Amino acid sequence: MTIDTLRQVPLFESLDNEAAAEVCKLLENLDCKAETFLFHAGDVGDAMYLIERGKVRICVQATDGRQVTLTELHRGDFFGEMALLDDGQRRSADAVVAENARLAVLSREHFLAFMRTNPNVALEMLTALANRLRRTDELLRHSATRNVNVEEAAHLTFADRAADIIAEFGGSWKFIIFEIGLFLLWVLLNTWLLADKVFDPYPYVFLNLVLGIICGLQAPIIMMSQNRQSHKDRLRADLDYQVNLKNELALQAILERLKTLERDCLQVASRKQRE
């Protein structure tokens, strides 16, 4: 990798020629074919990667077995840096080559040695980590919002769907208009149209019985629909909790890495003062 190509990577764009040349000497080239896995989630990380050409997808496995793409990286991007900040840190996602790519590999040992003499690189890496955490947060929230409806709909029975339709109709103006029309028609039939053969004379006892049956059946059906809505709200709250928990764990990991970077920067500053 040349100095000009290296400066296209945001992490190293602020380096002077001498520092950039030093980084180029530490890099090892790696040619990869499409659909090749560079590493899997859970692998021990000991290097970061810079993309000289090609594309790389960063993916995770969802709880339902789907593969979720967190981001797709192109020329000038870098990845795998999280494993460099803590010795023996496991990879948090899969890295798959989307198309034939040429990568530059920087080992943890070389990276830490270079970072101690160039604190600006540490600041750029923290900015990149924060931006990626923000994008992952939005992706997780969107995924949870979609999955709560899919998961809830997958468990619906015919009775559940019928209860929802009846409850929706029973709480609408259509039902009110239907009942008013039924009352007027019933009274009209038993007062004038069927004066000689009235089947429910005033005070319309049979009509009261019909209305009582409708109310008696409608109330538990509406309660069934409301109970399902409560279950859906609990499911949504549970998914939101999982998202927040993942974010909290990610923030804790970033704070630990911040402490490591702060300690290294303080060591560099104290060394320079002694010199």
Side-chain angles (χ1 to χ4, degrees), residues 27 35 49 146 173 235 251 253:
L27 296 174
E35 302 305 323
Y49 298 83
R146 183 178 65 251
W173 280 103
L235 179 60
L251 286 172

Side-chain angles (χ1 to χ4, degrees), residues 26-83:
L26 300 176
L27 296 174
E28 298 179 4
N29 293 327
L30 178 65
D31 293 319
C32 303
K33 295 183 178 180
E35 302 305 323
T36 301
F37 276 85
L38 296 170
F39 52 78
H40 295 83
D43 292 347
V44 177
D46 58 354
M48 68 174 293
Y49 298 83
L50 314 175
I51 303 178
E52 189 171 351
R53 66 168 181 265
K55 296 180 182 179
V56 175
R57 288 196 309 270
I58 306 299
C59 311
V60 294
Q61 188 96 6
T63 54
D64 56 3
R66 296 181 298 108
Q67 191 177 57
V68 179
T69 299
L70 297 178
T71 185
E72 187 171 87
L73 305 175
H74 305 79
R75 183 173 184 264
D77 290 327
F78 63 95
F79 61 96
E81 73 284 354
M82 292 178 65

Side-chain angles (χ1 to χ4, degrees), residues 88-108:
Q89 180 73 19
R90 301 283 178 174
R91 299 291 189 185
S92 59
D94 300 335
V96 187
V97 179
E99 63 181 38
N100 293 343
R102 182 177 179 84
L103 308 175
V105 184
L106 181 63
S107 68
R108 182 177 188 273

Side-chain angles (χ1 to χ4, degrees), residues 191-243:
T191 303
W192 292 291
L193 299 181
L194 300 177
D196 297 334
K197 297 181 180 179
V198 175
F199 61 89
D200 186 23
Y202 182 84
Y204 313 114
V205 177
F206 186 56
L207 175 61
N208 292 330
L209 176 62
V210 172
L211 293 177
I213 293 175
I214 293 176
C215 293
L217 294 177
Q218 189 180 29
I221 291 176
I222 293 176
M223 291 182 64
M224 287 170 54
S225 180
Q226 291 177 344
N227 289 337
R228 273 202 332 94
Q229 184 62 42
S230 299
H231 174 267
K232 187 175 181 180
D233 292 338
R234 288 194 299 271
L235 179 60
R236 180 179 288 108
D238 183 60
L239 292 176
D240 287 341
Y241 167 76
Q242 293 179 16
V243 170

